[in-house]
């Protein structure tokens, strides 16, 4: 479709119903996302994603899936409702607190609303029965809703009770090959943050209730974060302060700087933490049954969306990672009844169609022509469209000129339509 | 990526662990989907989707979204955990039974695991505050997991406790425009079933606990179904027998035939059933506040997947709706050490790369070369790939010939590689 007439930001509330006190407690991303009609609170710590929010989330999902497919990860979909007996077998039922949603079905069976799926995937693999070392490694992933009954949800999408998470699980025949797989997935995490152009810090972390030997967290540095990280002044390696290490685990230095991070990813080299109690085995090259060596990997997609806005946005204007903007281009047609109207309104559609060819499903036309171009440009800036094409005064000149606003660098250039098309063809190629 | 070396069907169990008695109680789709490693039971009435199942589901989702986008529906994502007070306001908390999963969070708030979202979306719209008749109609949809605590889950994915559903909601200014929107979405439902080439029956139905005036169900006719439908012998209009009508609601005839259907879609013209109690209003052309006229629409995607196999498959071989096959083409390379091996193994890769250009991410190479081509062909037939290309004896001839098996029509043709490519170019165009 070339027509992009629907305007989801129309459903943005102009003024917040929350009181001023509440407003001042909001984090930047929370305020911007609510204000611009991208998310909306449903109940405490639980949010609707509105159309623009869904678009950003879909872009993030697609990107994550692309990188995972490159390392031959296979997508599955595990249930949200997990049989409690699995968590009793693994021992996690007893050690987790009220942050895990526990429910009882009509037959009085204990169940869990999935916060993570180590038990489920291990049970799945254990049930296959005839795994040979030749088939390994296996790397499975999914992107689904996860649940935590947070006592204090905060900062909008940063800490919620229900969120989108990518969780991946690998199964290997030995610690060596498992470490190899662990490194490959870690590289995917780094590629994703690099693609998003987000400066991240990877630190050693405490595996906590999850168990296993080695664990790394991925953080975006922000005052909104809740984790304190110690970064070595000598080698730049980092560790979560919960690890309580007095010297750098990498170079032994005792000179650190401390930063605050938002945890957006976590990886665990689990060994046989789950495969032993759940009897998940494979047949090795000598024909003997052995427990699989497991690792698990999580990326908080909802949180990445919000945290990236904490890092990039100004107080008044959303700035998205370029790859996650709900639309890359917004075209603003002339004001109804203006001098430019006759030429410009048809031209706006032509531009829309031409750019849709280059950036499919990534262009929106703002045809609320009762508003001035200036007002709609401010709205487009606040929503964070990276490029805005204003069909303004220049179109009555010869040749007709279009105004291209790059909202991130805050620069304006004038283009003829062919040059504008060329600009976006180059943009699309990079 | 052109390489499709991963083989998710490898994780299919060769023999079922279930006892023979249990097996005989399984429906055809359930047995086939489990047997071929496409789904796997997690707990009673709850299933994992394995990689091939995820692929089919993603194809179905994408198709449904394409049709909805054509009528300018906007995608949202509403929470799975619904605040119970909303259902108390609408009156549904009291009238629903144990089939709704009810939970209590750590602060002792009643919540529901979303089976449907009339209350949530109405509350969302009501919160916008300033809706004008000029912005209407609004049509929002989502594709998310839904929950029902079924007392007797049955037939695999046909009746489960957790399933994927597309739910859509429309808001209009009058009954007339609402009926118009209702017809447009109904047409989308028909287009989807036609695209899937599934013979469906649309019948009048009882709105039940949902409320509202008019309601239609979409059924696939199958003995596995649980709904009895009366079809008029004169005008072919149908109604669910729960409606208790003695004459055809359309032509008045009293001559019926009865069929059994699997309900795969349901639409409700709700009027003000939810917008009145939840005070969801708009400003009409005279500046007066009026309750919005609402309709809701559901498509059971998980169930469509399974029901289509009940209709199309044989007892031993899955037949997918062409648009939902996990891969459209499976290429089988020669057996290791065979006469064809030298020429054929390289050629298999070339074919794979060439067809991937035509059918991106829709071709799988079966390179389990320790197995005969015949064995792998049987496996490909059972999995239901519509086209299988065997790189067999013909490739040592001059010119080299490839065997194309169309599994649905059970025909075999021989092609040179250029002709094979031409065949799939034509296929892709239609």
């Amino acid at each position: 479709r070339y027509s992009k007439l629907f305007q989801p930001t129309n459903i943005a509330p102009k003024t917040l119903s929350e009181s001023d006190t509440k407003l001042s407690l909001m984090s930047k991303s929370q305020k911007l996302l609510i204000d611009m009609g991208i998310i909306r609170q449903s109940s405490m710590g639980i949010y609707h994603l509105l159309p623009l929010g869904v678009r950003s989330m879909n872009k993030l999902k697609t990107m994550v899936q692309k990188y995972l497919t490159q390392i031959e990860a296979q997508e599955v979909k595990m249930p949200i409702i997990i049989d409690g007996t699995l968590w009793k077998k693994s021992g996690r039922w007893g050690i987790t607190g009220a942050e895990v949603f526990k429910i009882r079905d009509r037959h009085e069976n204990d169940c869990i609303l999935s916060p993570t799926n180590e038990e489920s995937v291990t049970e799945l693999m254990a049930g296959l029965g005839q795994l040979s070392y030749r088939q390994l490694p296996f790397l499975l992933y999914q992107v689904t809703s996860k649940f935590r009954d947070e006592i204090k949800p905060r900062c909008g999408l940063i800490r919620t009770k229900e969120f989108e998470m990518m969780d991946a699980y690998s199964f290997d025949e030995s610690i060596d090959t498992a470490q190899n797989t662990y490194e490959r997935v870690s590289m995917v995490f780094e590629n994703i943050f690099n693609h998003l152009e987000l400066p991240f810090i990877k630190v050693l972390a405490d595996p906590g209730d999850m168990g296993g030997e080695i664990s790394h967290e991925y953080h975006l540095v922000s005052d909104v974060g809740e984790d304190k990280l110690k970064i070595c002044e000598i080698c730049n390696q980092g560790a979560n302060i919960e690890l309580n290490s007095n010297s750098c685990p990498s170079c032994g230095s005792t000179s650190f700087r401390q930063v605050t991070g938002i945890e957006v990813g976590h990886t665990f080299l689990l060994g046989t933490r789950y495969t032993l109690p759940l009897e998940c085995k494979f047949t090795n090259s000598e024909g003997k049954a052995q427990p699989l060596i497991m690792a698990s990997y999580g990326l908080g997609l909802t949180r990445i969306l919000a945290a990236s806005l904490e890092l990039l946005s100004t107080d008044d204007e959303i700035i998205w990672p370029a790859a996650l903007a709900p639309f890359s281009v917004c075209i603003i047609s002339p004001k109804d009844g203006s001098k430019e109207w006759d030429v410009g309104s048809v031209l706006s559609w032509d531009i829309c169609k031409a750019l849709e060819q280059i950036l499919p499903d990534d262009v929106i036309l703002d045809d609320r022509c009762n508003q001035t171009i200036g007002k709609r440009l401010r709205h487009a800036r606040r929503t964070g469209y990276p490029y805005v094409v204003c069909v303004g005064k220049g179109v009555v000149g010869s040749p007709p000129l279009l105004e291209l606003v790059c909202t991130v660098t805050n620069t304006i250039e004038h283009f003829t339509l062919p040059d504008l098309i060329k600009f976006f063809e180059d943009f699309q190629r990079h």
Side-chain angles (χ1 to χ4, degrees), chain A residues 288-325:
Chain A
K288 271 179 65 182
Q290 297 275 326
L292 281 157
I293 309 299
M294 184 173 171
S296 72
Y297 316 86
L299 272 183
L301 302 193
T302 315
R303 193 181 280 180
I304 288 174
L305 214 65
S308 65
L309 299 202
E310 294 291 343
L311 265 68
L312 303 174
S313 300
T314 69
D315 283 342
D316 303 315
E317 295 182 3
I318 294 177
I319 298 179
W320 301 91
L324 301 188

Side-chain angles (χ1 to χ4, degrees), chain A residues 11-13 17 33-34 38-42 46-50:
Chain A
I11 55 176
S17 57
L33 286 167
I34 293 174
I38 294 163
I39 66 171
R40 203 169 173 87
Q41 185 168 306
S42 157
I46 301 186
Y47 289 84
H48 298 283
L49 288 185
L50 302 191

Side-chain angles (χ1 to χ4, degrees), chain A residues 27-42:
Chain A
S27 77
K28 187 167 68 179
S29 68
Q30 181 178 16
K31 189 176 169 312
L32 287 168
L33 286 167
I34 293 174
D35 216 5
M36 297 316 295
I38 294 163
I39 66 171
R40 203 169 173 87
Q41 185 168 306
S42 157

Side-chain angles (χ1 to χ4, degrees), chain A residues 379-400:
Chain A
H379 190 267
R381 280 180 191 276
R382 296 190 66 201
T383 312
Y385 300 122
Y387 292 101
V388 184
V389 178
C390 297
V391 184
K393 289 186 179 131
V395 295
V396 291
S398 173

Side-chain angles (χ1 to χ4, degrees), chain A residues 149-211:
Chain A
D149 196 355
E150 295 286 354
I151 192 158
K152 272 193 192 166
R154 57 189 288 278
C155 298
L157 299 187
I158 302 272
R159 186 170 285 280
T160 59
K161 296 191 195 173
E162 180 175 338
F163 48 93
E164 291 295 290
M165 194 172 104
M166 185 292 291
D167 47 328
Y169 306 89
S170 64
F171 296 89
D172 272 275
E173 57 176 310
S174 70
I175 285 283
D176 276 359
T177 58
Q179 227 142 12
N180 187 13
T181 305
Y182 188 81
E183 290 307 323
R184 276 164 63 222
V185 180
S186 301
M187 192 52 70
V188 161
F189 278 29
E190 300 193 13
N191 289 340
I192 289 167
F193 292 118
N194 286 333
H195 189 146
L196 294 172
E197 301 182 69
L198 292 173
F200 68 96
I201 299 183
K202 176 183 172 182
V203 300
L204 271 175
D206 179 3
D209 288 346
M210 181 67 84

Side-chain angles (χ1 to χ4, degrees), chain A residues 87 92 95-102 113 115 147-151 159 161 163 209:
Chain A
W87 278 53
R92 271 213 283 190
I95 57 175
T96 53
E99 76 280 4
V100 172
F101 276 108
K102 289 171 182 169
L113 290 192
F147 302 85
R148 279 178 66 93
D149 196 355
E150 295 286 354
I151 192 158
R159 186 170 285 280
K161 296 191 195 173
F163 48 93
D209 288 346

Side-chain angles (χ1 to χ4, degrees), chain A residues 201-204 227-233 236-249 254-260:
Chain A
I201 299 183
K202 176 183 172 182
V203 300
L204 271 175
D227 285 277
K228 304 280 180 230
L229 315 172
K230 282 165 82 171
I231 312 295
C232 173
E233 293 283 16
N236 259 326
Q237 294 293 307
N240 197 308
I241 57 157
E242 67 195 6
L243 274 182
N244 273 322
S245 57
N246 290 319
S247 59
C248 171
T254 54
S255 169
F256 298 101
R257 66 180 185 280
Q258 188 171 304
V259 298
T260 308

